[in-house]
Amino acid sequence: MGNLGSILSLGLACFLPTSLSAEVIPGTDLSMDFHAGHVVGAGRNINMIRVPVTDINTGQTTLWDATFKFSFIPSQGFVFEEISSASPSQPGSIADIVPGLYRTQQGKCLLLEGPTLLNGSRSLYTIRGVQEAGCGTQDSFSAQIISGVANGHPDIGERDIVASLTDNWIYGFMADRASNSSGSTLQPFFQNHLIGIRQSGEQLILGRFSDGGADFKDPVQTLILTKLVQ
């Protein structure tokens, strides 16, 4: 980690930036911008996801994930303890997915929650049916999604189809089947089905990659969900 560790240590002094622009790290040809990354807190850790580190000579930018661990001393307050991890961001990182309340074209609402940082720079999301104002009846749809490529995915990594799955989606599985409502676009989503999500502006695209007991490399059904302002 070497040079990056030094960069992140120096950058920690700017952890609460006073400006919204990238800052050059003294003594290097690199700039970084925590503001452009994604911050997730968990216990004593502050997780910085997809922080851009840019070579100011070439303009080439690399995205990095890092986890900073803190202690607390009553007489001093929060004390930085260590950089517990730092690695290049994986495709399908959490910055590509926007948690929140989404509605299907039929008026059912699904709540996308997360992220929770896992090992290997992957992050966990859950998505489930909820009852909110402006939504139809609550659906029992429940699934979990983990960011990153399909290969090595902790939940679906053993499925035969994994080697054929593209990086255009982040994948997971149905934890509970959708309600058996006749005519509902969610009805074909069954427990343990392989699913994927991807973001397109304010819309979340939900894909079903299973039909019966078989998995497929391309979705056999896609739904477009629109984010609601809360």
Side-chain angles (χ1 to χ4, degrees):
M1 188 170 67
N3 189 38
L4 179 67
S6 300
I7 294 168
L8 292 175
S9 296
L10 289 167
L12 191 62
C14 306
F15 192 71
L16 295 176
T18 57
S19 68
L20 301 184
S21 60
E23 183 173 344
V24 176
I25 305 302
T28 77
D29 294 326
L30 300 173
S31 70
M32 67 188 312
D33 185 5
F34 278 128
H35 179 265
H38 189 92
V39 183
V40 183
R44 292 198 296 134
N45 295 320
I46 298 293
N47 307 306
M48 304 294 295
I49 310 298
R50 293 176 74 83
V51 177
V53 178
T54 302
D55 186 316
I56 60 176
N57 295 318
T58 65
Q60 181 176 357
T61 297
T62 304
L63 300 177
W64 285 80
D65 299 339
T67 299
F68 304 107
K69 181 174 286 186
F70 288 82
S71 293
F72 185 84
I73 300 174
S75 61
Q76 300 180 39
F78 292 103
V79 178
F80 174 66
E81 186 173 302
E82 65 176 349
I83 300 174
S84 56
S85 67
S87 60
S89 296
Q90 293 192 13
S93 185
I94 65 170
D96 299 327
I97 301 299
V98 182
L101 184 66
Y102 290 84
R103 185 168 57 194
T104 71
Q105 292 174 318
Q106 291 184 319
K108 300 282 189 179
C109 283
L110 300 179
L111 180 64
L112 178 64
E113 299 174 295
T116 299
L117 193 67
L118 305 177
N119 293 332
S121 298
R122 292 181 182 267
S123 297
L124 170 68
Y125 293 88
T126 59
I127 182 169
R128 58 186 176 86
V130 293
Q131 177 64 63
E132 296 283 350
C135 301
T137 57
Q138 182 172 344
D139 196 280
S140 59
F141 185 105
S142 176
Q144 69 179 45
I145 302 287
I146 293 180
S147 68
V149 296
N151 186 38
H153 190 294
D155 286 342
I156 66 165
E158 300 301 318
R159 294 187 187 234
D160 293 338
I161 198 64
V162 162
S164 301
L165 296 175
T166 70
D167 297 341
N168 297 327
W169 301 80
I170 61 174
Y171 299 94
F173 71 98
M174 289 291 298
D176 193 7
R177 65 162 297 172
S179 299
N180 189 20
S181 302
S182 178
S184 170
T185 53
L186 294 174
Q187 184 183 10
F189 288 79
F190 283 85
Q191 191 172 24
N192 206 39
H193 270 179
L194 174 65
I195 67 169
I197 60 174
R198 61 186 181 189
Q199 194 82 32
S200 178
E202 292 298 298
Q203 294 181 321
L204 188 72
I205 303 172
L206 173 65
R208 177 171 61 89
F209 291 77
S210 297
D211 193 16
D215 295 331
F216 300 88
K217 69 177 293 292
D218 297 313
V220 295
Q221 180 186 8
T222 56
L223 301 179
I224 297 177
L225 287 67
T226 302
K227 194 172 188 300
L228 298 180
V229 178
Q230 294 176 279

